[in-house]
Amino acid sequence: MEKIIIEGGYRLEGELPISGAKNAALPLMCAGLLTKGGLTLHNLPNLADIKTLASLLTELGCHITYEKDGWDRGLGQSMTIKADHITSTTAPYDIVRKMRASILVLGPLLAREGEAIVSLPGGCAIGNRPIDLHLKGFEDIGASIELKEGYVRSSGKLRGGTIYFPTVSVGATENILMAACLAQGTTTIENAAKEPEITDLAQCLVAMGAKITGIGSSRLVVEGVPELHGAEYTVMPDRIEAGSYAVAAAMTHGELELIGKNLPEVMTGTLGILKKAGLTFINTDKGLITRLTNDKIIGINAVTNPYPGFPTDMQAQLMAMMTLCEGASVITETIFENRFMHVPELCRMGADITINGSTATIRGIKRLLGAPVMATDLRASMSLVLAGLAAEDITEVNRIYHLDRGYERLVQKLEACGAKISRMKTDNI
Ligand code: EPZ
């Protein structure tokens, strides 16, 4: 195991490069299954989840090549996925349980091969994460679905249809969108999720020859085509990583220039709330400068919602910042049923937070105190790092494998901006 050690109280200043978005890269990689022509993706983040998915795609018969990691050129890595011969249509439990996004191979396999056997992903720290909306959607476009021994067995020739999602689901929208590209006829997806990562996926599919209208809206219409051709596509910047580091600048009373293309556009849901909390954002030709407007964090009320609302993936990071607010703040989590795992750990650092159901009330305090804390999931671990950057003395964040799933080169990026942070091996927890 490894842990991160932070000596808090140092202002962050300078340029901080934002990596390609994990939650765009994962579905984009799955889209590589839809064509024999080869899909080249640029600006992929160098993350554990990307490697896990690449190993799954290889097991399915894809040939994956990497260009030299573009980090030294200020870019992510480039990857080409060649799926000319799919040799397996099974996504095994030991991979899917590690990374839920593996479920996104279901749609492409069904569309390409007429069958897919994918392990049910199971729950995770933040909730039980069902996939009923995915499965209902596939049935609506002609697939037969059978659940057996913890696996989804799906098969059938996909035909166009109309799908209405009663709950907005990012993954279900992505899965159906990819499958519909090769279905016979036209598919309409009503109440589709509108996250920028879905727009990124749709634009890449169009570059591969898909016929999709309504991109960016909650109504996607896909006219199926017999096949898709190869393409090249550059992954959008990670809006959640950018929001996380904006919080880091505010909590350390510093100033960062977040480097990434069209960050203001993709950060819509986040910027509004952070501005209300007292942050200033200035567009530059390289990205976005951010700092506290009047050197104080203002207590606000926030509710997580599907895009363009405040993203649930920023909830833990906002809460870390609100521990130091003037006055009090109320944060309500509406997307996942168990996404307050960071609260007891923040309280160990002196935060004053009380939870009532899906609502947390945070009363601002003057200073957080460093302490050994435990990461429980990806975004909770980032909230603990943020608290450590602002806290007095030393904070140790344990179980940082959670962080490696979503934050590329976190220690290097923060150290380069003035943080006193390092990672080391540990033999306990
Ligand atoms: C994606 O997960 C993201 N992951 C999550 O980011 C993000 O928190 C989530 O969208 C919401 O924005 C990736 O993109 C890889 P959902 P996903 O389907 O697709 C319920 C991170 O930290 N639901 O939009 O799994 C579900 O339980 C991760 O980067 C069903 O009931 O999320 C949840 O309550 C965490 N049935 C709500 O919908 C279904 O079939 C939204 O889930 C599917 C979902």
Side-chain angles (χ1 to χ4, degrees):
M1 294 272 195
E2 287 189 282
K3 62 184 174 185
I4 279 182
I5 319 275
I6 305 168
E7 183 188 345
Y10 292 86
R11 279 167 56 90
L12 295 183
E13 290 178 317
E15 292 189 358
L16 196 148
I18 298 303
S19 301
K22 163 181 84 84
N23 290 352
L26 294 170
L28 285 167
M29 288 169 67
C30 295
L33 285 165
L34 290 167
T35 177
K36 295 182 178 169
L39 175 63
T40 297
L41 298 171
H42 300 296
N43 195 34
L44 281 169
N46 194 343
L47 292 171
D49 275 9
I50 300 293
K51 296 185 180 90
T52 303
L53 184 54
S55 67
L56 172 58
L57 293 175
T58 305
E59 280 204 20
L60 299 176
C62 295
H63 181 60
I64 291 185
T65 51
Y66 292 90
E67 259 176 53
K68 198 169 88 60
D69 185 338
W71 178 253
D72 52 0
R73 289 178 286 121
L75 290 177
Q77 58 188 357
S78 295
M79 172 196 287
T80 295
I81 299 153
K82 203 99 167 64
D84 30 9
H85 299 294
I86 289 177
T87 55
S88 164
T89 56
T90 299
Y93 174 63
D94 69 330
I95 290 191
V96 178
R97 73 178 170 79
K98 267 190 299 195
M99 192 194 56
R100 171 188 164 72
S102 317
I103 194 73
L104 295 175
V105 302
L106 214 170
L109 286 175
L110 250 182
R112 182 84 192 271
E113 301 295 304
E115 66 157 26
I117 301 169
V118 179
S119 165
L120 284 165
C124 69
I126 61 176
N128 75 357
R129 316 285 298 268
I131 59 165
D132 56 313
L133 298 176
H134 299 240
L135 304 183
K136 169 80 175 55
F138 288 123
E139 286 178 325
D140 289 345
I141 55 174
S144 67
I145 301 284
E146 184 198 0
L147 299 186
K148 203 169 165 202
E149 295 158 357
Y151 278 77
V152 174
R153 297 167 184 277
S154 56
S155 60
K157 181 136 185 55
L158 299 183
R159 50 162 172 70
T162 297
I163 291 143
Y164 173 74
F165 285 127
T167 312
V168 171
S169 163
V170 171
T173 301
E174 291 166 339
N175 232 338
I176 300 301
L177 177 62
M178 289 189 279
C181 292
L182 296 179
Q184 205 156 20
T186 300
T187 299
T188 302
I189 305 174
E190 300 282 5
N191 202 25
K194 300 188 283 189
E195 271 64 5
E197 292 77 17
I198 291 173
T199 297
D200 226 29
L201 174 63
Q203 286 168 342
C204 177
L205 291 167
V206 166
M208 295 164 72
K211 292 193 175 129
I212 304 170
T213 53
I215 296 175
S217 81
S218 57
R219 187 170 190 273
L220 295 170
V221 181
V222 187
E223 190 189 327
V225 292
E227 65 175 17
L228 296 180
H229 51 69
E232 268 195 72
Y233 193 79
T234 298
V235 179
M236 64 176 273
D238 194 316
R239 62 193 170 103
I240 304 300
E241 184 194 21
S244 305
Y245 287 125
V247 167
M251 290 180 75
T252 58
H253 295 269
E255 177 176 295
L256 288 175
E257 182 172 17
L258 307 172
I259 310 298
K261 256 183 2 145
N262 63 33
L263 282 175
E265 288 72 40
V266 297
M267 290 177 74
T268 305
T270 304
L271 292 185
I273 285 285
L274 294 185
K275 285 176 186 169
K276 274 172 71 177
L279 279 72
T280 281
F281 292 92
I282 302 160
N283 291 359
T284 67
D285 55 8
K286 287 196 281 188
L288 206 50
I289 288 176
T290 180
R291 59 172 176 267
L292 278 180
T293 313
N294 299 313
D295 215 29
K296 62 174 194 257
I297 296 164
I298 300 159
I300 56 161
N301 295 346
V303 182
T304 63
N305 271 304
Y307 194 84
F310 181 67
T312 173
D313 291 351
M314 275 297 300
Q315 179 259 105
Q317 300 91 303
L318 177 72
M319 193 177 296
M321 184 165 76
M322 285 297 127
T323 63
L324 297 170
C325 75
E326 307 251 314
S329 165
V330 177
I331 298 178
T332 302
E333 171 60 57
T334 67
I335 307 290
F336 291 110
E337 61 269 31
N338 186 33
R339 205 167 197 179
F340 284 151
M341 309 265 276
H342 41 288
V343 171
E345 297 304 300
L346 289 171
C347 291
R348 296 190 62 246
M349 298 176 73
D352 179 353
I353 307 171
T354 48
I355 295 177
N356 183 358
S358 61
T359 296
T361 302
I362 306 107
R363 285 173 191 77
I365 57 170
K366 282 274 165 277
R367 291 287 284 169
L368 289 162
L369 305 172
V373 288
M374 179 86 74
T376 51
D377 60 85
L378 170 56
R379 305 304 173 181
S381 28
M382 188 56 176
S383 82
L384 300 177
V385 168
L386 294 168
L389 291 169
E392 279 172 4
D393 304 328
I394 301 294
T395 296
E396 284 186 10
V397 183
N398 292 288
R399 294 193 181 170
I400 55 165
Y401 55 85
H402 292 293
L403 266 174
D404 293 338
R405 298 192 51 178
Y407 288 93
E408 182 184 32
R409 295 179 176 86
L410 174 132
V411 169
Q412 293 96 313
K413 289 185 180 183
L414 286 171
E415 210 170 21
C417 293
K420 297 281 180 273
I421 182 171
S422 60
R423 64 187 286 166
M424 62 184 288
K425 293 223 177 305
T426 171
D427 46 14
N428 59 7
I429 47 176

